[in-house]
Amino acid sequence: MESNHRRILIIRTDRIGDIILTLPMARVLKKKFPSAHVSMLIQHYTSELVEDHRDVDEVLYYDENDRLIPFFKLVLILRRQKLDVVLHTHPRFRLALIIWLAGIPVRVGTGYRWYSFLFNNKVYEHRKHALHHELEYNLHLLEAIGCSSDGIDVKPSIDIHPAAANKVASLLENIGVTGNDRIVIIHPGSGKSARDWNAKNFGLLGKRISLFPNVKVIVTGGKSEKALVNRVCSLIGESPISLVNQLTLREYSALAKCAILFIANSTGPIHLAAAVGTPVIGFYPQVTVLNSTRWGPYTEKKIIFTPKDKPIDCKKCVRRKTDTCECMDSISIDDVYESAATIIRRSFSN
């Protein structure tokens, strides 16, 4: 390890899935440079994914009280950290300028932004072409400081917090889920981060899954997705369990760990479910910047569905922001059900 690479900061200030796909960078750094102090700069709402992570020594925050930390205050905070290296995984001009003004010697970032002059170690890759997975793009940044991930298991993993596991166990008991039941989680929203398989499809799929004996379908969503969850539950029938904005990220991780199958659009929770080892079924558009090559769950326990016989980068998919998408609707409920049924049956035979 180079003597001037002892305090390293990874910046990832966006969403849940992005954080999960960035954390393997910390694992690689700690494996290659065991004495390095590795910190991450994140938003508060993703903190539970990072605070307990074994490879992250310190968590710094980009916001406080739901507002960005003032520009020059953050410059001072970072200057006091006496950092040697900063890795920009999600480059933004504001942060690039803050890091430059903080006087951090090694600043790794893309070479393709107009403000890339603020980085002195540039990586020339266009992520928009989606030739690699987002996790792999992140790891490529490490090569700029001579750190290779060769020989290291880089699949994301999240440890379950004991208190969260106990809370979820109590919750499941209270809602009538017994030890003989199998849990299937359906998460129909995506926070508008992608083109979605619609609520009707999720509902009709969930109705068929709920007919399996000893299978409990739980439909989850964030605070803005209550109407969507209610719509899916109404189509499933009387049996589904609705959980909207009731769990912390630690608790949601524990719930996902209890499931035999997690079904969702391209969204942070599908990466969370994959990171706790649960099999996942995901729905991804054929829009290059949103596709499964770049944003699919990084696990072998996955089945991915994409539109059938539809054009790549369909103009309707790229430009329209409606609740329905005819390309995504071309994904057959029957096909998805068959895949889900195979996983469910396998869980009963294990």
Side-chain angles (χ1 to χ4, degrees):
M1 175 181 179
E2 292 188 30
S3 60
N4 59 342
H5 287 179
R6 296 194 176 276
R7 294 183 62 84
I8 303 171
L9 176 67
I10 302 167
I11 297 179
R12 192 86 215 202
T13 55
D14 40 352
R15 304 173 71 174
I16 293 169
D18 308 294
I19 290 288
I20 292 170
L21 298 177
T22 300
L23 282 168
M25 294 179 73
R27 184 186 310 161
V28 172
L29 286 167
K30 296 300 278 188
K31 289 283 188 183
K32 294 290 186 177
F33 309 142
S35 62
H37 180 278
V38 177
S39 55
M40 285 189 71
L41 180 67
I42 62 171
Q43 292 192 70
H44 266 96
Y45 96 101
T46 60
S47 62
E48 290 187 359
L49 298 172
V50 184
E51 287 172 345
D52 302 326
H53 201 278
R54 68 188 74 177
D55 297 315
V56 178
D57 297 303
E58 186 175 1
V59 181
L60 307 174
Y61 293 103
Y62 191 46
D63 61 333
E64 57 184 0
N65 301 319
D66 296 324
R67 293 186 177 183
L68 296 184
I69 291 176
F71 186 93
F72 287 106
K73 180 179 179 179
L74 188 54
V75 170
L76 290 174
I77 289 171
L78 293 173
R79 186 173 291 167
R80 289 170 186 152
Q81 287 286 313
K82 300 187 183 302
L83 295 161
D84 301 309
V85 179
V86 172
L87 299 150
H88 289 268
T89 63
H90 183 61
R92 291 293 181 267
F93 171 63
R94 183 178 191 265
L95 271 168
L97 185 57
I98 285 171
I99 294 299
W100 182 76
L101 289 172
I104 298 162
V106 179
R107 304 177 301 278
V108 180
T110 177
Y112 288 126
R113 298 289 172 90
W114 67 266
Y115 52 84
S116 290
F117 65 90
L118 296 169
F119 309 135
N120 56 10
N121 284 52
K122 300 180 181 66
V123 176
Y124 290 91
E125 285 189 313
H126 279 302
R127 296 192 184 201
K128 65 183 180 181
H129 296 323
L131 299 177
H132 303 284
H133 196 279
E134 181 70 7
L135 183 151
E136 293 162 354
Y137 280 123
N138 292 332
L139 294 179
H140 292 170
L141 295 175
L142 298 178
E143 296 172 8
I145 59 169
C147 181
S148 167
S149 61
D150 290 348
I152 299 174
D153 181 3
V154 296
K155 290 191 296 294
S157 62
I158 295 175
D159 295 329
I160 303 302
H161 196 282
N166 292 335
K167 170 72 178 293
V168 168
S170 177
L171 170 67
L172 293 175
E173 183 179 357
N174 290 337
I175 60 180
V177 179
T178 71
N180 293 324
D181 291 326
R182 303 293 195 272
I183 297 170
V184 174
I185 298 175
I186 291 177
H187 187 88
S190 71
K192 305 298 183 184
S193 61
R195 303 300 285 149
D196 295 348
W197 208 46
N198 69 43
K200 182 178 179 181
N201 293 333
F202 277 108
L204 295 177
L205 173 67
K207 184 174 184 177
R208 294 174 68 175
I209 290 173
S210 70
L211 298 177
F212 274 93
N214 296 110
V215 168
K216 300 287 188 183
V217 176
I218 298 179
V219 186
T220 64
K223 60 184 178 181
S224 65
E225 296 171 331
K226 185 175 182 179
L228 173 62
V229 170
N230 288 344
R231 165 78 169 142
V232 172
C233 287
S234 69
L235 289 164
I236 294 174
E238 298 180 359
S239 61
I241 299 163
S242 170
L243 290 178
V244 179
N245 199 38
Q246 295 181 38
L247 303 173
T248 65
L249 281 177
R250 286 191 182 101
E251 292 162 358
Y252 196 89
S253 300
L255 176 66
K257 181 72 173 178
C258 294
I260 61 165
L261 175 60
F262 190 98
I263 305 173
N265 288 304
S266 173
T267 182
I270 198 171
H271 297 288
L272 188 152
V276 299
T278 299
V280 296
I281 292 178
F283 307 103
Y284 283 78
Q286 292 185 144
V287 178
T288 300
V289 296
L290 304 175
N291 69 20
S292 61
T293 299
R294 181 176 173 189
W295 293 109
Y298 206 85
T299 174
E300 295 172 356
K301 300 178 182 178
K302 68 176 181 288
I303 299 173
I304 300 299
F305 287 92
T306 57
K308 284 190 172 183
D309 302 319
K310 298 293 182 180
I312 294 174
D313 292 328
C314 165
K315 292 182 179 179
K316 291 181 181 179
C317 292
V318 172
R319 296 176 182 173
R320 291 178 61 187
K321 298 296 181 183
T322 59
D323 292 334
T324 59
C325 174
E326 62 186 66
C327 288
M328 294 299 289
D329 287 348
S330 70
I331 298 171
S332 162
I333 296 174
D334 289 340
D335 290 346
V336 180
Y337 173 75
E338 287 303 321
S339 293
T342 298
I343 294 171
I344 294 168
R345 293 188 188 106
R346 188 183 304 140
S347 75
F348 281 102
S349 63
N350 290 340

